[in-house]
Amino acid sequence: MTVINRMTNNSPQEGLSGRQIMYDEDGKPCRSCNTLLDFQYVTGKITNGLKNLSSNATLANTAAATATSQDLIPGSRTYTKVDPPDVEQLGRSSWTLLHAAAANYPVKPSDEQKGEMKQFLNIFSHIYPCNWCAKDFEKYIRENAPKIESREELGRWMCEAHNKVNTKLRKPKFDCNFWGKRWKDGWDE
Amino acid sequence: MTVINRMTNNSPQEGLSGRQIMYDEDGKPCRSCNTLLDFQYVTGKITNGLKNLSSNATLANTAAATATSQDLIPGSRTYTKVDPPDVEQLGRSSWTLLHAAAANYPVKPSDEQKGEMKQFLNIFSHIYPCNWCAKDFEKYIRENAPKIESREELGRWMCEAHNKVNTKLRKPKFDCNFWGKRWKDGWDE
């Protein structure tokens, strides 16, 4: 699916978060490419009036509260109507999997294991559900080939790839000397 | 890494959750194969005395409270010492990615896209950081080949694969007629 930055008469270009709103090819806002807050704003679930609130935390809480309907799915006594993940939840989930996969990668991988990890990251950059994030990752691994010779190499490479995204999102960098404690050993040992 | 079910003189076979404790090849408890509660129990962070508490929720809360140290990582003003994901966090994260990937899979995929999705799931079953979960998934896709002809097919296949795991974990099944609302469209449309 191609995601475009689009502005029509009725489509806001910027969300409440201040970020650009991303649209799918069919002109609908892209769920997995925007934050929940912005998605709700652009689909009319949150009005512009909220923009006057001073605290971003308040906005986020309001969004979370309206997003999680407690209604049960028809026929179920346990599953509630949870909405699809937004770009942030998707990001957190995927980094968790990727870092943990690196942390459990063999210390001395076989040629087959190296090939599979390389291919996994390559395909990941094609199928990742946020299209613009996927393109960014694809470009990153083209310019910074995944280091797959050992667990230590891969764990550090993944940390650096994540930091590249952190920088882009204006988040602080993680000190990659601690990647093993964060994703494999924990902090007590 | 091969994960084994092991019982030595000092290694408990069963955790506080009642589940079997999984150990790595080196004899250490496997972080990504056990729940946080059981991992903390078997590594001595939680004593057996807690077993007398009546509520599982209480146990889980105690575990969460002790797990999240508020200490900052040396040199960082923002990153706290978060421990590596346990088997449950890893499961939730990975299903989020897999379902969202299915929801964003093309309605009419090319042969190349079909091949890549098939290969992605295949490699996923080799590199998934919880070894026994990975083996289960590998067996499942061997016996139930991923349906990759269309988004609808793949979304439903993924839902059924997840339900297979739900059943094994004695969780209720999700009604796969709702997979699209849960992972793509949301519940409001």
Side-chain angles (χ1 to χ4, degrees):
Chain A
M1 185 191 297
T2 306
V3 177
I4 49 176
N5 313 336
R6 164 170 164 161
M7 189 178 179
T8 65
N9 289 340
N10 299 314
S11 312
Q13 192 172 27
E14 192 183 285
L16 290 178
S17 71
R19 293 186 208 168
Q20 187 175 27
I21 297 288
M22 308 301 280
Y23 293 88
D24 285 337
E25 269 178 329
D26 59 8
K28 288 184 183 175
C30 171
R31 242 180 214 280
S32 50
C33 313
N34 295 293
T35 64
L36 178 61
L37 181 69
D38 286 348
F39 182 81
Q40 291 186 321
Y41 166 63
V42 78
T43 53
K45 304 288 184 302
I46 292 177
T47 65
N48 207 358
L50 273 178
K51 207 166 182 174
N52 297 325
L53 287 176
S54 58
S55 156
N56 273 332
T58 308
L59 286 181
N61 289 339
T62 308
T66 57
T68 310
S69 163
Q70 287 307 310
D71 290 339
L72 290 169
I73 293 174
S76 173
R77 285 181 299 178
T78 49
Y79 287 110
T80 53
K81 293 175 176 173
V82 179
D83 272 331
D86 73 339
V87 70
E88 292 181 334
Q89 193 194 341
L90 199 56
R92 277 193 301 275
S93 299
S94 303
W95 282 119
T96 296
L97 172 64
L98 290 178
H99 287 296
N104 283 271
Y105 187 64
V107 175
K108 292 181 183 176
S110 66
D111 285 345
E112 194 185 347
Q113 287 168 323
K114 291 180 201 172
E116 284 205 333
M117 182 53 78
K118 213 168 169 178
Q119 203 156 15
F120 184 81
L121 294 170
N122 195 35
I123 302 178
F124 180 89
S125 80
H126 298 159
I127 65 149
Y128 189 69
C130 162
N131 182 281
W132 64 267
C133 319
K135 294 276 176 224
D136 275 0
F137 192 67
E138 192 183 20
K139 182 167 181 279
Y140 185 81
I141 62 178
R142 199 165 50 232
E143 293 170 357
N144 306 270
K147 295 186 177 165
I148 36 84
E149 293 301 316
S150 69
R151 178 189 295 166
E152 178 59 33
E153 252 198 30
L154 184 63
R156 198 169 272 272
W157 180 89
M158 201 67 81
C159 179
E160 286 162 4
H162 196 162
N163 270 342
K164 178 77 179 181
V165 178
N166 283 335
T167 303
K168 195 171 175 180
L169 299 177
R170 298 183 186 175
K171 291 182 183 172
K173 281 189 181 186
F174 186 90
D175 181 345
C176 290
N177 291 316
F178 294 113
W179 85 263
K181 286 186 180 295
R182 173 65 183 89
W183 297 106
K184 172 130 194 60
D185 300 325
W187 301 87
D188 293 331
E189 291 175 16
Chain B
M1 184 192 301
T2 306
V3 176
I4 49 176
N5 312 335
R6 162 170 165 161
M7 189 177 181
T8 65
N9 288 341
N10 299 314
S11 312
Q13 194 170 26
E14 193 184 284
L16 289 178
S17 71
R19 293 186 209 169
Q20 188 175 27
I21 298 288
M22 308 301 281
Y23 293 88
D24 284 337
E25 268 178 330
D26 59 8
K28 288 185 183 173
C30 172
R31 241 179 216 281
S32 50
C33 312
N34 294 294
T35 64
L36 178 62
L37 181 69
D38 286 348
F39 182 81
Q40 291 187 321
Y41 167 62
V42 78
T43 53
K45 304 288 183 303
I46 292 177
T47 65
N48 206 358
L50 273 180
K51 208 167 183 174
N52 298 324
L53 287 176
S54 57
S55 155
N56 271 332
T58 308
L59 285 181
N61 288 339
T62 307
T66 58
T68 310
S69 164
Q70 287 307 308
D71 290 339
L72 291 169
I73 293 174
S76 173
R77 286 182 299 179
T78 48
Y79 288 109
T80 53
K81 292 177 176 171
V82 179
D83 271 331
D86 72 339
V87 70
E88 291 181 336
Q89 193 194 340
L90 198 56
R92 274 193 303 274
S93 299
S94 303
W95 282 120
T96 295
L97 171 64
L98 290 178
H99 286 296
N104 283 272
Y105 187 64
V107 174
K108 291 181 183 177
S110 67
D111 284 347
E112 194 184 348
Q113 288 169 321
K114 290 180 201 173
E116 284 206 332
M117 182 54 76
K118 214 168 166 176
Q119 204 156 13
F120 184 81
L121 294 171
N122 194 34
I123 301 178
F124 180 89
S125 80
H126 299 158
I127 64 148
Y128 190 69
C130 162
N131 182 281
W132 64 266
C133 318
K135 294 276 176 223
D136 274 0
F137 192 67
E138 192 182 21
K139 183 167 181 279
Y140 185 81
I141 62 178
R142 200 164 51 233
E143 292 170 358
N144 307 270
K147 294 187 177 164
I148 38 83
E149 293 301 316
S150 70
R151 177 189 295 167
E152 178 60 33
E153 253 198 29
L154 184 63
R156 198 169 273 272
W157 180 89
M158 202 65 83
C159 179
E160 285 162 5
H162 197 162
N163 269 341
K164 180 76 179 182
V165 178
N166 283 335
T167 304
K168 196 171 175 181
L169 299 177
R170 296 183 188 174
K171 290 181 183 172
K173 282 191 181 184
F174 186 90
D175 182 345
C176 290
N177 291 316
F178 293 112
W179 85 262
K181 285 184 182 294
R182 173 65 183 90
W183 297 105
K184 171 130 193 60
D185 300 322
W187 300 87
D188 293 332
E189 291 174 15

